[in-house]
Structures are given as C-alpha cells and as structure tokens.
PDB file of all heavy atoms in Angstrom:
ATOM      1  N   PRO J   1      34.554 -56.387  45.950  1.00  0.00           N
ATOM      2  CA  PRO J   1      34.719 -54.911  46.180  1.00  0.00           C
ATOM      3  C   PRO J   1      36.126 -54.615  46.634  1.00  0.00           C
ATOM      4  O   PRO J   1      36.742 -55.346  47.404  1.00  0.00           O
ATOM      5  CB  PRO J   1      33.705 -54.713  47.312  1.00  0.00           C
ATOM      6  CG  PRO J   1      33.635 -56.013  48.022  1.00  0.00           C
ATOM      7  CD  PRO J   1      33.736 -57.048  46.951  1.00  0.00           C
ATOM      8  N   LEU J   2      36.648 -53.469  46.167  1.00  0.00           N
ATOM      9  CA  LEU J   2      37.960 -52.976  46.477  1.00  0.00           C
ATOM     10  C   LEU J   2      37.796 -51.863  47.499  1.00  0.00           C
ATOM     11  O   LEU J   2      37.149 -50.879  47.203  1.00  0.00           O
ATOM     12  CB  LEU J   2      38.701 -52.530  45.232  1.00  0.00           C
ATOM     13  CG  LEU J   2      38.813 -53.634  44.159  1.00  0.00           C
ATOM     14  CD1 LEU J   2      39.471 -53.018  42.889  1.00  0.00           C
ATOM     15  CD2 LEU J   2      39.627 -54.806  44.642  1.00  0.00           C
ATOM     16  N   VAL J   3      38.418 -52.028  48.668  1.00  0.00           N
ATOM     17  CA  VAL J   3      38.154 -51.081  49.765  1.00  0.00           C
ATOM     18  C   VAL J   3      39.420 -50.360  50.266  1.00  0.00           C
ATOM     19  O   VAL J   3      39.288 -49.445  51.055  1.00  0.00           O
ATOM     20  CB  VAL J   3      37.543 -51.844  50.936  1.00  0.00           C
ATOM     21  CG1 VAL J   3      36.171 -52.438  50.573  1.00  0.00           C
ATOM     22  CG2 VAL J   3      38.455 -52.989  51.442  1.00  0.00           C
ATOM     23  N   LEU J   4      40.599 -50.769  49.764  1.00  0.00           N
ATOM     24  CA  LEU J   4      41.836 -50.183  50.261  1.00  0.00           C
ATOM     25  C   LEU J   4      42.721 -49.796  49.072  1.00  0.00           C
ATOM     26  O   LEU J   4      43.106 -50.669  48.281  1.00  0.00           O
ATOM     27  CB  LEU J   4      42.587 -51.210  51.137  1.00  0.00           C
ATOM     28  CG  LEU J   4      43.977 -50.793  51.655  1.00  0.00           C
ATOM     29  CD1 LEU J   4      43.907 -49.577  52.543  1.00  0.00           C
ATOM     30  CD2 LEU J   4      44.633 -51.970  52.370  1.00  0.00           C
ATOM     31  N   ASP J   5      42.998 -48.521  48.921  1.00  0.00           N
ATOM     32  CA  ASP J   5      43.908 -48.019  47.875  1.00  0.00           C
ATOM     33  C   ASP J   5      45.339 -47.972  48.412  1.00  0.00           C
ATOM     34  O   ASP J   5      45.579 -47.270  49.387  1.00  0.00           O
ATOM     35  CB  ASP J   5      43.471 -46.618  47.426  1.00  0.00           C
ATOM     36  CG  ASP J   5      44.098 -46.179  46.124  1.00  0.00           C
ATOM     37  OD1 ASP J   5      45.234 -46.608  45.834  1.00  0.00           O
ATOM     38  OD2 ASP J   5      43.486 -45.437  45.353  1.00  0.00           O
ATOM     39  N   LEU J   6      46.181 -48.752  47.839  1.00  0.00           N
ATOM     40  CA  LEU J   6      47.549 -48.943  48.413  1.00  0.00           C
ATOM     41  C   LEU J   6      48.471 -47.771  48.127  1.00  0.00           C
ATOM     42  O   LEU J   6      49.388 -47.489  48.876  1.00  0.00           O
ATOM     43  CB  LEU J   6      48.161 -50.241  47.875  1.00  0.00           C
ATOM     44  CG  LEU J   6      47.408 -51.506  48.157  1.00  0.00           C
ATOM     45  CD1 LEU J   6      48.005 -52.714  47.455  1.00  0.00           C
ATOM     46  CD2 LEU J   6      47.360 -51.744  49.701  1.00  0.00           C
ATOM     47  N   PHE J   7      48.260 -47.079  47.006  1.00  0.00           N
ATOM     48  CA  PHE J   7      49.189 -46.000  46.575  1.00  0.00           C
ATOM     49  C   PHE J   7      48.377 -44.799  46.121  1.00  0.00           C
ATOM     50  O   PHE J   7      48.044 -44.676  44.952  1.00  0.00           O
ATOM     51  CB  PHE J   7      50.105 -46.457  45.416  1.00  0.00           C
ATOM     52  CG  PHE J   7      50.963 -47.647  45.779  1.00  0.00           C
ATOM     53  CD1 PHE J   7      50.567 -48.984  45.441  1.00  0.00           C
ATOM     54  CD2 PHE J   7      52.145 -47.511  46.497  1.00  0.00           C
ATOM     55  CE1 PHE J   7      51.299 -50.049  45.763  1.00  0.00           C
ATOM     56  CE2 PHE J   7      52.948 -48.604  46.800  1.00  0.00           C
ATOM     57  CZ  PHE J   7      52.525 -49.873  46.443  1.00  0.00           C
ATOM     58  N   SER J   8      48.096 -43.918  47.059  1.00  0.00           N
ATOM     59  CA  SER J   8      47.295 -42.721  46.694  1.00  0.00           C
ATOM     60  C   SER J   8      48.070 -41.488  47.218  1.00  0.00           C
ATOM     61  O   SER J   8      49.036 -41.596  48.005  1.00  0.00           O
ATOM     62  CB  SER J   8      45.899 -42.763  47.329  1.00  0.00           C
ATOM     63  OG  SER J   8      45.926 -42.206  48.651  1.00  0.00           O
ATOM     64  N   ASP J   9      47.606 -40.288  46.801  1.00  0.00           N
ATOM     65  CA  ASP J   9      48.194 -39.063  47.305  1.00  0.00           C
ATOM     66  C   ASP J   9      47.300 -38.361  48.315  1.00  0.00           C
ATOM     67  O   ASP J   9      47.527 -37.238  48.714  1.00  0.00           O
ATOM     68  CB  ASP J   9      48.545 -38.116  46.164  1.00  0.00           C
ATOM     69  CG  ASP J   9      47.339 -37.601  45.400  1.00  0.00           C
ATOM     70  OD1 ASP J   9      46.196 -37.895  45.780  1.00  0.00           O
ATOM     71  OD2 ASP J   9      47.544 -36.913  44.360  1.00  0.00           O
ATOM     72  N   GLY J  10      46.241 -39.106  48.689  1.00  0.00           N
ATOM     73  CA  GLY J  10      45.264 -38.509  49.676  1.00  0.00           C
ATOM     74  C   GLY J  10      44.138 -37.765  48.992  1.00  0.00           C
ATOM     75  O   GLY J  10      43.186 -37.394  49.657  1.00  0.00           O
ATOM     76  N   GLN J  11      44.275 -37.533  47.684  1.00  0.00           N
ATOM     77  CA  GLN J  11      43.191 -36.861  46.930  1.00  0.00           C
ATOM     78  C   GLN J  11      42.697 -37.743  45.761  1.00  0.00           C
ATOM     79  O   GLN J  11      41.538 -37.580  45.407  1.00  0.00           O
ATOM     80  CB  GLN J  11      43.729 -35.512  46.399  1.00  0.00           C
ATOM     81  CG  GLN J  11      44.120 -34.506  47.441  1.00  0.00           C
ATOM     82  CD  GLN J  11      44.654 -33.214  46.845  1.00  0.00           C
ATOM     83  OE1 GLN J  11      45.162 -33.207  45.731  1.00  0.00           O
ATOM     84  NE2 GLN J  11      44.483 -32.135  47.590  1.00  0.00           N
ATOM     85  N   ASN J  12      43.552 -38.578  45.274  1.00  0.00           N
ATOM     86  CA  ASN J  12      43.145 -39.401  44.090  1.00  0.00           C
ATOM     87  C   ASN J  12      42.799 -40.797  44.464  1.00  0.00           C
ATOM     88  O   ASN J  12      42.716 -41.672  43.635  1.00  0.00           O
ATOM     89  CB  ASN J  12      44.292 -39.400  43.052  1.00  0.00           C
ATOM     90  CG  ASN J  12      45.556 -40.089  43.572  1.00  0.00           C
ATOM     91  OD1 ASN J  12      45.602 -40.570  44.708  1.00  0.00           O
ATOM     92  ND2 ASN J  12      46.583 -40.113  42.761  1.00  0.00           N
ATOM     93  N   ASN J  13      42.533 -41.057  45.757  1.00  0.00           N
ATOM     94  CA  ASN J  13      42.182 -42.422  46.168  1.00  0.00           C
ATOM     95  C   ASN J  13      40.870 -42.878  45.563  1.00  0.00           C
ATOM     96  O   ASN J  13      39.905 -42.106  45.435  1.00  0.00           O
ATOM     97  CB  ASN J  13      42.103 -42.493  47.702  1.00  0.00           C
ATOM     98  CG  ASN J  13      41.144 -41.518  48.313  1.00  0.00           C
ATOM     99  OD1 ASN J  13      41.441 -40.311  48.288  1.00  0.00           O
ATOM    100  ND2 ASN J  13      40.065 -42.014  48.838  1.00  0.00           N
ATOM    101  N   LYS J  14      40.853 -44.141  45.203  1.00  0.00           N
ATOM    102  CA  LYS J  14      39.661 -44.789  44.619  1.00  0.00           C
ATOM    103  C   LYS J  14      38.828 -45.557  45.635  1.00  0.00           C
ATOM    104  O   LYS J  14      37.731 -45.977  45.302  1.00  0.00           O
ATOM    105  CB  LYS J  14      40.041 -45.666  43.454  1.00  0.00           C
ATOM    106  CG  LYS J  14      40.855 -45.013  42.373  1.00  0.00           C
ATOM    107  CD  LYS J  14      40.055 -43.872  41.716  1.00  0.00           C
ATOM    108  CE  LYS J  14      40.839 -43.207  40.607  1.00  0.00           C
ATOM    109  NZ  LYS J  14      40.122 -42.053  40.066  1.00  0.00           N
ATOM    110  N   CYS J  15      39.375 -45.752  46.808  1.00  0.00           N
ATOM    111  CA  CYS J  15      38.734 -46.557  47.827  1.00  0.00           C
ATOM    112  C   CYS J  15      38.559 -45.781  49.106  1.00  0.00           C
ATOM    113  O   CYS J  15      39.277 -44.788  49.335  1.00  0.00           O
ATOM    114  CB  CYS J  15      39.573 -47.815  48.122  1.00  0.00           C
ATOM    115  SG  CYS J  15      39.987 -48.789  46.690  1.00  0.00           S
ATOM    116  N   PRO J  16      37.612 -46.166  49.966  1.00  0.00           N
ATOM    117  CA  PRO J  16      37.380 -45.409  51.184  1.00  0.00           C
ATOM    118  C   PRO J  16      38.554 -45.461  52.162  1.00  0.00           C
ATOM    119  O   PRO J  16      38.728 -44.522  52.969  1.00  0.00           O
ATOM    120  CB  PRO J  16      36.102 -46.080  51.796  1.00  0.00           C
ATOM    121  CG  PRO J  16      36.041 -47.426  51.176  1.00  0.00           C
ATOM    122  CD  PRO J  16      36.651 -47.262  49.772  1.00  0.00           C
ATOM    123  N   HIS J  17      39.352 -46.500  52.127  1.00  0.00           N
ATOM    124  CA  HIS J  17      40.554 -46.602  52.956  1.00  0.00           C
ATOM    125  C   HIS J  17      41.769 -46.505  52.008  1.00  0.00           C
ATOM    126  O   HIS J  17      41.722 -47.057  50.912  1.00  0.00           O
ATOM    127  CB  HIS J  17      40.563 -47.875  53.706  1.00  0.00           C
ATOM    128  CG  HIS J  17      39.353 -48.099  54.593  1.00  0.00           C
ATOM    129  ND1 HIS J  17      39.263 -47.638  55.876  1.00  0.00           N
ATOM    130  CD2 HIS J  17      38.113 -48.664  54.338  1.00  0.00           C
ATOM    131  CE1 HIS J  17      38.115 -47.923  56.371  1.00  0.00           C
ATOM    132  NE2 HIS J  17      37.370 -48.552  55.450  1.00  0.00           N
ATOM    133  N   PHE J  18      42.806 -45.854  52.451  1.00  0.00           N
ATOM    134  CA  PHE J  18      43.975 -45.685  51.556  1.00  0.00           C
ATOM    135  C   PHE J  18      45.231 -45.356  52.355  1.00  0.00           C
ATOM    136  O   PHE J  18      45.215 -44.892  53.486  1.00  0.00           O
ATOM    137  CB  PHE J  18      43.699 -44.587  50.549  1.00  0.00           C
ATOM    138  CG  PHE J  18      43.302 -43.266  51.192  1.00  0.00           C
ATOM    139  CD1 PHE J  18      44.241 -42.318  51.539  1.00  0.00           C
ATOM    140  CD2 PHE J  18      41.953 -42.964  51.382  1.00  0.00           C
ATOM    141  CE1 PHE J  18      43.887 -41.106  52.096  1.00  0.00           C
ATOM    142  CE2 PHE J  18      41.577 -41.765  51.965  1.00  0.00           C
ATOM    143  CZ  PHE J  18      42.535 -40.850  52.363  1.00  0.00           C
ATOM    144  N   TYR J  19      46.370 -45.657  51.684  1.00  0.00           N
ATOM    145  CA  TYR J  19      47.683 -45.233  52.176  1.00  0.00           C
ATOM    146  C   TYR J  19      48.166 -44.053  51.296  1.00  0.00           C
ATOM    147  O   TYR J  19      47.875 -44.042  50.056  1.00  0.00           O
ATOM    148  CB  TYR J  19      48.728 -46.334  52.112  1.00  0.00           C
ATOM    149  CG  TYR J  19      48.423 -47.556  52.944  1.00  0.00           C
ATOM    150  CD1 TYR J  19      48.371 -48.789  52.362  1.00  0.00           C
ATOM    151  CD2 TYR J  19      48.188 -47.428  54.309  1.00  0.00           C
ATOM    152  CE1 TYR J  19      48.108 -49.935  53.123  1.00  0.00           C
ATOM    153  CE2 TYR J  19      47.937 -48.559  55.092  1.00  0.00           C
ATOM    154  CZ  TYR J  19      47.894 -49.825  54.512  1.00  0.00           C
ATOM    155  OH  TYR J  19      47.648 -50.939  55.263  1.00  0.00           O
ATOM    156  N   THR J  20      48.908 -43.144  51.859  1.00  0.00           N
ATOM    157  CA  THR J  20      49.550 -42.108  51.118  1.00  0.00           C
ATOM    158  C   THR J  20      51.075 -42.296  51.089  1.00  0.00           C
ATOM    159  O   THR J  20      51.556 -43.222  51.773  1.00  0.00           O
ATOM    160  CB  THR J  20      49.230 -40.690  51.698  1.00  0.00           C
ATOM    161  OG1 THR J  20      49.836 -40.591  52.958  1.00  0.00           O
ATOM    162  CG2 THR J  20      47.722 -40.495  51.786  1.00  0.00           C
ATOM    163  N   GLU J  21      51.785 -41.419  50.395  1.00  0.00           N
ATOM    164  CA  GLU J  21      53.228 -41.538  50.376  1.00  0.00           C
ATOM    165  C   GLU J  21      53.838 -41.451  51.785  1.00  0.00           C
ATOM    166  O   GLU J  21      54.871 -42.082  52.061  1.00  0.00           O
ATOM    167  CB  GLU J  21      53.854 -40.453  49.509  1.00  0.00           C
ATOM    168  CG  GLU J  21      53.472 -40.479  48.026  1.00  0.00           C
ATOM    169  CD  GLU J  21      52.360 -39.517  47.721  1.00  0.00           C
ATOM    170  OE1 GLU J  21      51.551 -39.187  48.676  1.00  0.00           O
ATOM    171  OE2 GLU J  21      52.235 -39.101  46.552  1.00  0.00           O
ATOM    172  N   SER J  22      53.194 -40.682  52.663  1.00  0.00           N
ATOM    173  CA  SER J  22      53.777 -40.544  54.016  1.00  0.00           C
ATOM    174  C   SER J  22      53.558 -41.771  54.887  1.00  0.00           C
ATOM    175  O   SER J  22      54.213 -41.943  55.927  1.00  0.00           O
ATOM    176  CB  SER J  22      53.174 -39.325  54.739  1.00  0.00           C
ATOM    177  OG  SER J  22      51.756 -39.462  54.815  1.00  0.00           O
ATOM    178  N   ASP J  23      52.640 -42.712  54.437  1.00  0.00           N
ATOM    179  CA  ASP J  23      52.447 -43.963  55.151  1.00  0.00           C
ATOM    180  C   ASP J  23      53.474 -44.988  54.693  1.00  0.00           C
ATOM    181  O   ASP J  23      53.746 -45.930  55.500  1.00  0.00           O
ATOM    182  CB  ASP J  23      51.019 -44.491  54.894  1.00  0.00           C
ATOM    183  CG  ASP J  23      49.946 -43.625  55.406  1.00  0.00           C
ATOM    184  OD1 ASP J  23      50.037 -43.199  56.582  1.00  0.00           O
ATOM    185  OD2 ASP J  23      48.972 -43.317  54.635  1.00  0.00           O
ATOM    186  N   ASN J  24      53.908 -44.890  53.480  1.00  0.00           N
ATOM    187  CA  ASN J  24      54.805 -45.879  52.835  1.00  0.00           C
ATOM    188  C   ASN J  24      54.120 -47.234  52.893  1.00  0.00           C
ATOM    189  O   ASN J  24      54.257 -48.020  53.815  1.00  0.00           O
ATOM    190  CB  ASN J  24      56.154 -45.961  53.520  1.00  0.00           C
ATOM    191  CG  ASN J  24      57.078 -46.955  52.735  1.00  0.00           C
ATOM    192  OD1 ASN J  24      56.815 -47.341  51.644  1.00  0.00           O
ATOM    193  ND2 ASN J  24      58.175 -47.342  53.384  1.00  0.00           N
ATOM    194  N   ALA J  25      53.394 -47.526  51.793  1.00  0.00           N
ATOM    195  CA  ALA J  25      52.695 -48.819  51.683  1.00  0.00           C
ATOM    196  C   ALA J  25      53.599 -49.989  51.867  1.00  0.00           C
ATOM    197  O   ALA J  25      53.133 -51.045  52.342  1.00  0.00           O
ATOM    198  CB  ALA J  25      51.969 -48.895  50.343  1.00  0.00           C
ATOM    199  N   LEU J  26      54.849 -49.881  51.519  1.00  0.00           N
ATOM    200  CA  LEU J  26      55.759 -51.031  51.636  1.00  0.00           C
ATOM    201  C   LEU J  26      56.187 -51.300  53.081  1.00  0.00           C
ATOM    202  O   LEU J  26      56.834 -52.315  53.354  1.00  0.00           O
ATOM    203  CB  LEU J  26      57.020 -50.792  50.783  1.00  0.00           C
ATOM    204  CG  LEU J  26      56.787 -50.608  49.318  1.00  0.00           C
ATOM    205  CD1 LEU J  26      58.114 -50.608  48.539  1.00  0.00           C
ATOM    206  CD2 LEU J  26      55.891 -51.707  48.737  1.00  0.00           C
ATOM    207  N   ALA J  27      55.742 -50.472  54.034  1.00  0.00           N
ATOM    208  CA  ALA J  27      56.003 -50.679  55.421  1.00  0.00           C
ATOM    209  C   ALA J  27      54.755 -51.095  56.150  1.00  0.00           C
ATOM    210  O   ALA J  27      54.714 -51.258  57.351  1.00  0.00           O
ATOM    211  CB  ALA J  27      56.566 -49.420  56.066  1.00  0.00           C
ATOM    212  N   GLN J  28      53.663 -51.325  55.393  1.00  0.00           N
ATOM    213  CA  GLN J  28      52.347 -51.622  55.967  1.00  0.00           C
ATOM    214  C   GLN J  28      51.994 -53.117  55.802  1.00  0.00           C
ATOM    215  O   GLN J  28      52.415 -53.788  54.857  1.00  0.00           O
ATOM    216  CB  GLN J  28      51.273 -50.797  55.333  1.00  0.00           C
ATOM    217  CG  GLN J  28      51.535 -49.269  55.435  1.00  0.00           C
ATOM    218  CD  GLN J  28      51.548 -48.769  56.873  1.00  0.00           C
ATOM    219  OE1 GLN J  28      50.846 -49.299  57.754  1.00  0.00           O
ATOM    220  NE2 GLN J  28      52.371 -47.741  57.085  1.00  0.00           N
ATOM    221  N   ASP J  29      51.175 -53.595  56.738  1.00  0.00           N
ATOM    222  CA  ASP J  29      50.636 -54.971  56.648  1.00  0.00           C
ATOM    223  C   ASP J  29      49.259 -54.888  55.992  1.00  0.00           C
ATOM    224  O   ASP J  29      48.229 -54.611  56.658  1.00  0.00           O
ATOM    225  CB  ASP J  29      50.519 -55.553  58.039  1.00  0.00           C
ATOM    226  CG  ASP J  29      50.176 -57.066  58.028  1.00  0.00           C
ATOM    227  OD1 ASP J  29      49.494 -57.481  57.086  1.00  0.00           O
ATOM    228  OD2 ASP J  29      50.608 -57.776  58.954  1.00  0.00           O
ATOM    229  N   TRP J  30      49.221 -55.087  54.708  1.00  0.00           N
ATOM    230  CA  TRP J  30      47.962 -54.936  53.916  1.00  0.00           C
ATOM    231  C   TRP J  30      46.937 -56.006  54.341  1.00  0.00           C
ATOM    232  O   TRP J  30      45.750 -55.664  54.472  1.00  0.00           O
ATOM    233  CB  TRP J  30      48.191 -55.058  52.418  1.00  0.00           C
ATOM    234  CG  TRP J  30      49.282 -54.173  51.891  1.00  0.00           C
ATOM    235  CD1 TRP J  30      49.800 -53.056  52.513  1.00  0.00           C
ATOM    236  CD2 TRP J  30      49.898 -54.268  50.599  1.00  0.00           C
ATOM    237  NE1 TRP J  30      50.750 -52.500  51.662  1.00  0.00           N
ATOM    238  CE2 TRP J  30      50.861 -53.220  50.509  1.00  0.00           C
ATOM    239  CE3 TRP J  30      49.790 -55.154  49.537  1.00  0.00           C
ATOM    240  CZ2 TRP J  30      51.636 -53.008  49.372  1.00  0.00           C
ATOM    241  CZ3 TRP J  30      50.607 -54.950  48.409  1.00  0.00           C
ATOM    242  CH2 TRP J  30      51.501 -53.918  48.332  1.00  0.00           C
ATOM    243  N   ALA J  31      47.391 -57.204  54.525  1.00  0.00           N
ATOM    244  CA  ALA J  31      46.460 -58.279  54.881  1.00  0.00           C
ATOM    245  C   ALA J  31      45.796 -58.002  56.222  1.00  0.00           C
ATOM    246  O   ALA J  31      44.571 -58.166  56.376  1.00  0.00           O
ATOM    247  CB  ALA J  31      47.230 -59.586  54.941  1.00  0.00           C
TER     248      ALA J  31
END
C-alpha cells in the first residue's frame, strides 16, 4: 500500500498523507 504522496498540489494527492509545494518534499525526511 502507498500511503504518502511526495509531490501533490493538495488537491490531486493519491494518498491520505501528502506533501505540497509549500512543504518542499526535498526538505523532508520521507523515511
């Protein structure tokens, strides 16, 4: 199961948990 969408706009997320552009996924600890 995929539970975290790394690159979403807050409306097109495919997973219940997600990052948006304002979070900057490249600054986050995904693991």
Side-chain angles (χ1 to χ4, degrees):
L2 303 175
V3 297
L4 175 64
D5 194 328
L6 300 175
F7 301 95
S8 87
D9 65 7
Q11 296 179 334
N12 63 2
N13 55 289
K14 302 300 181 184
C15 305
H17 303 271
F18 55 89
Y19 298 126
T20 67
E21 297 98 336
S22 61
D23 296 312
N24 185 15
L26 300 189
Q28 304 297 328
D29 189 329
W30 307 345

